[in-house]
């Protein structure tokens, strides 16, 4: 059989194409996507915090040295990542590690990690190994504090898959606090409108803060907020005796509510409602 030069060139080109294709597939299989889990971090203007959660206590260590922050960020960003489905968050067990640092755009950069699974505060989930035990030990002599589990990076998103990121309540809060009562007026999507009535004979003082509980296996658990930059105005509202007020609370700050029983809590009063399909 006679093989022409054109045929030889075609065969060589096809072989080169197959080699490149194999290299790309191998790179993807190895999760060779560039890491940069802390992309946008600003060590020149922000401290860096590492979190450790053993299932009971959240401990945080804070690094204030920008040069050390940069070196640590470089190593953390070197972790190879492969994007995966958020269901990978189900079944994760302590310890959990977390990172917080301010971003160059004014927004916080947060990430949580456990058992080879990363969770960013934008909701993206990755597979990728990380040497958190060593990084944690490096900050052993830095400022150390204990916080509630609600302060752990991405606690709101993690709580959707792990009850450890909720707070179990020991007492059942009712709709009344003395002769002050709260009742649901209406529910529209994630917004709940309630009426607070004061028949106590004295002024009732309440704030802007509210929380949400979910019933799990017969017990009530307080949920963390979904985002890490949500705050409540520190003001006092006064309701005179004999009067009532209508207030609307947005429960979307606690994330998408799955079917179940919930309780909106305002100043030691709670009203229950159900979420169905």
């Amino acid at each position: 059989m006679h093989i022409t030069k054109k045929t030889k060139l075609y065969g060589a080109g096809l072989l080169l194409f197959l080699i490149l294709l194999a290299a790309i597939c191998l790179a993807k299989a190895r999760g060779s996507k560039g890491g940069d889990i802390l992309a946008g971090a600003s060590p020149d203007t922000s401290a860096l915090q590492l979190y450790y959660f053993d299932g009971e206590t959240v401990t945080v260590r804070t690094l204030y040295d920008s040069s050390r922050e940069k070196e640590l960020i470089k190593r953390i960003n070197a972790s190879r990542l492969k994007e995966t489905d958020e269901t990978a968050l189900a079944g994760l067990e302590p310890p959990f590690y977390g990172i917080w640092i301010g971003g160059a755009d004014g927004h916080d950069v947060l990430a949580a990690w456990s058992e080879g699974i990363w969770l960013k505060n934008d909701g993206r989930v990755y597979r990728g190994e990380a040497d958190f035990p060593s990084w944690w030990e490096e900050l052993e002599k830095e400022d150390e504090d204990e916080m509630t589990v609600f302060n752990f990076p991405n606690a709101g998103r993690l709580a959707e898959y792990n009850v450890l990121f909720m707070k179990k309540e020991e007492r059942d809060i009712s709709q009344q606090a003395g002769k002050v009562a709260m009742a649901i007026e209406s529910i529209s999507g994630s917004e709940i409108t309630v009426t607070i009535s004061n028949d106590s004979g004295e002024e009732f003082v309440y704030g802007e803060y509210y929380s949400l509980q979910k019933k799990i296996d017969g017990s009530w658990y307080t949920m963390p907020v979904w985002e890490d930059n949500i705050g409540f105005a520190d003001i006092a509202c006064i309701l005179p005796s004999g009067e009532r007020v209508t207030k609307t609370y947005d429960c979307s700050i606690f994330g998408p509510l799955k079917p179940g029983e919930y309780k909106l809590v305002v100043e030691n009063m709670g009203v229950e409602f159900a979420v169905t399909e």
Side-chain angles (χ1 to χ4, degrees):
M1 180 177 65
H2 180 66
I3 300 176
T4 65
K5 184 177 181 180
K6 183 177 181 180
T7 303
K8 289 180 179 179
L9 290 174
Y10 175 78
L14 179 60
L15 179 60
L16 179 59
F17 172 77
L18 292 174
I19 291 174
L20 289 173
L21 182 61
I24 292 172
C25 291
L26 181 60
K28 288 184 176 180
R30 290 177 176 175
S32 60
K33 178 179 179 179
D36 291 337
I37 194 74
L38 298 183
S42 180
D44 287 323
T45 59
S46 173
L48 181 148
Q49 292 184 320
L50 283 187
Y51 292 73
Y52 175 79
F53 178 42
D54 61 5
E56 295 183 359
T57 304
V58 173
T59 307
V60 58
R61 292 174 178 172
T62 305
L63 181 61
Y64 296 99
D65 186 326
S66 62
S67 61
R68 289 181 61 198
E69 288 180 60
K70 292 176 182 178
E71 195 276 331
L72 181 56
I73 289 171
K74 182 178 180 180
R75 281 184 284 149
I76 293 173
N77 279 342
S79 301
R80 291 187 172 187
L81 306 177
K82 183 178 181 181
E83 196 159 1
T84 187
D85 189 85
E86 69 173 30
T87 55
L89 299 172
L92 294 179
E93 297 291 340
F96 289 85
Y97 292 89
I99 310 169
W100 171 91
I101 186 170
D105 60 358
H107 295 88
D108 295 341
V109 179
L110 302 102
W113 182 91
S114 178
E115 299 181 13
I117 301 298
W118 287 91
L119 170 64
K120 287 203 67 173
N121 54 315
D122 60 6
R124 287 181 292 178
V125 181
Y126 301 91
R127 291 189 182 275
E129 292 304 319
D131 194 9
F132 268 101
S134 294
W135 302 334
W136 179 252
E137 291 303 317
E138 284 184 31
L139 272 61
E140 185 176 9
K141 295 183 180 180
E142 305 302 325
D143 287 353
E144 182 173 301
D145 297 287
E146 289 189 4
M147 295 186 174
T148 70
V149 70
F150 292 168
N151 296 112
F152 191 85
N154 302 325
R157 297 179 184 273
L158 290 166
E160 186 175 354
Y161 294 92
N162 197 317
V163 72
L164 288 175
F165 291 92
M166 299 184 188
K167 178 187 175 185
K168 186 176 182 179
E169 299 298 337
E170 300 301 326
R171 68 188 185 94
D172 191 357
I173 296 176
S174 69
Q175 289 185 227
Q176 288 187 290
K179 292 188 177 181
V180 180
M182 181 169 66
I184 291 180
E185 187 80 13
S186 64
I187 299 178
S188 177
S190 62
E191 294 188 339
I192 299 178
T193 299
V194 302
T195 299
I196 302 176
S197 304
N198 181 12
D199 296 315
S200 66
E202 56 188 26
E203 291 182 338
F204 175 67
V205 181
Y206 63 99
E208 292 293 301
Y209 175 80
Y210 60 99
S211 62
L212 188 67
Q213 297 180 7
K214 183 175 183 179
K215 182 176 280 189
I216 301 174
D217 296 330
S219 297
W220 288 104
Y221 289 80
T222 296
M223 303 169 61
V225 294
W226 188 255
E227 304 293 344
D228 296 272
N229 59 352
I230 291 176
F232 299 91
D234 187 17
I235 59 175
C237 303
I238 299 176
L239 180 62
S241 180
E243 296 189 11
R244 49 188 283 172
V245 64
T246 300
K247 299 279 291 184
T248 298
Y249 297 93
D250 183 6
C251 291
S252 68
I253 66 171
F254 303 99
L257 302 185
K258 293 184 175 180
E261 297 180 63
Y262 294 86
K263 182 185 295 185
L264 174 70
V265 177
V266 180
E267 290 295 333
N268 294 320
M269 296 182 294
V271 286
E272 298 181 20
F273 62 98
V275 173
T276 57
E277 291 287 357

